[in-house]
Structures are given as structure tokens and as C-alpha cells.
Amino acid sequence: MGNPLRVKSFALGILITAACMSSSARAGEHAGSKTVVGQSNPLLADGAAALEAGRVEEGIRLTLEGLKAAVTVQENAAGHSNACAGYILLKQWAEALAQCNAALELDKSNWRTYNNRASIYVEKGLYDLAMHDLEAGLALAPGAATLHESVRILKRNKQLLGRQARKVVPS
């Protein structure tokens, strides 16, 4: 098995919602992230490692299996957050949203989960909900570059949508 000492919770940038995971936190992004330390759940750790390596289906499978044996609230929350990220990468929005919501029910202090859920809301065209989640994430981790980039992209996309809508509406 992989490294059983850490179960990371990942954040997906809205720009790259279904392309790649932020596997290692950037400078200033450690605030509010949840890492479970201990050897209690190697399946969650292996699932996180598989997601980090881009083996998404395997990562989701291991994570879901690890969630069955999760001992702590933090393990459960990190596992659900990681499953959310995996489902986002597969563009399985309903499953992703259910996993993000489960993670946030357990732990509202993980900015990465808010960022992940915001990317789902963007895909569904729910920009106000996405911004609300990004603001919640920024309240937890004001220095998180991923969140700032997500806000920038969300604002740009809303602006582009507004321009397109004005072109479509006859004058």
C-alpha cells in the first residue's frame, strides 16, 4: 500500500475543473487544509495517492472503500472531499456534488472542498452559489492562490456570458 500517514484533501481549480488536481499545496495554501495524520486508513491514503497520480477511477474506488473504514470525522470529510474531486474529474456532477456536500456536513473548515463544490456549481451555471462557496473558502484561507484564481475565472466567465447574452437579445 501507499503512504498511510497522510490523507490529503484536494482542490480543483475552476479553470481546470476536469483536467488536473492540485496535488501539492502551493505557497500560502496550507491554511485550512485538512490532512489526516495516522495509520488508521491506508485505503484513503492510497486513494489520495491514486488521484494525485491521475488514476482517477482507481482513486475513487480506493477512497470509497476507505470511507467504509474511516474512523475519524476528519478522515470521513477528507475522503468525501477527495471522492468529490475524483467525480469532478470524471464530469459526474451529481456524484461529485453529493460527495462535496457530505464532506461539508462533516467539516466546514476545508477551503478545498468549497473550491471543488464551486467548480460543480460553475458547470451547472449556478454562478452565485459558486461565488458564495469561493467566498467561504477565502474566509478560511485568504492566501490560497487556487481560490483567487477560481474567483478571477468565475468573474471573467460571468462577464463573457453577459456579453454573449447581449449579442443574442435583439435590440
Side-chain angles (χ1 to χ4, degrees), residues 61-111:
R61 181 185 59 75
L62 289 167
T63 298
L64 295 177
E65 202 58 38
L67 278 168
K68 294 176 186 175
V71 175
T72 67
V73 171
Q74 291 79 19
E75 279 183 341
N76 268 298
H80 285 294
S81 185
N82 287 349
C84 171
Y87 283 125
I88 289 170
L89 290 170
L90 295 178
K91 298 183 180 185
Q92 294 179 6
W93 310 118
E95 293 87 349
L97 184 58
Q99 292 294 329
C100 273
N101 287 341
L104 289 169
E105 290 267 329
L106 295 166
D107 179 9
K108 292 185 180 357
S109 69
N110 189 343
W111 68 264

Side-chain angles (χ1 to χ4, degrees), residues 84-152:
C84 171
Y87 283 125
I88 289 170
L89 290 170
L90 295 178
K91 298 183 180 185
Q92 294 179 6
W93 310 118
E95 293 87 349
L97 184 58
Q99 292 294 329
C100 273
N101 287 341
L104 289 169
E105 290 267 329
L106 295 166
D107 179 9
K108 292 185 180 357
S109 69
N110 189 343
W111 68 264
R112 288 176 168 85
T113 307
Y114 285 106
N115 190 76
N116 291 347
R117 190 169 72 173
S119 66
I120 298 165
Y121 288 149
V122 166
E123 287 298 323
K124 293 175 156 275
L126 303 170
Y127 302 113
D128 291 337
L129 289 175
M131 185 57 77
H132 183 266
D133 273 2
L134 293 174
E135 289 168 350
L138 283 167
L140 296 168
T146 298
L147 289 168
H148 287 284
E149 182 65 7
S150 293
V151 168
R152 186 189 70 73

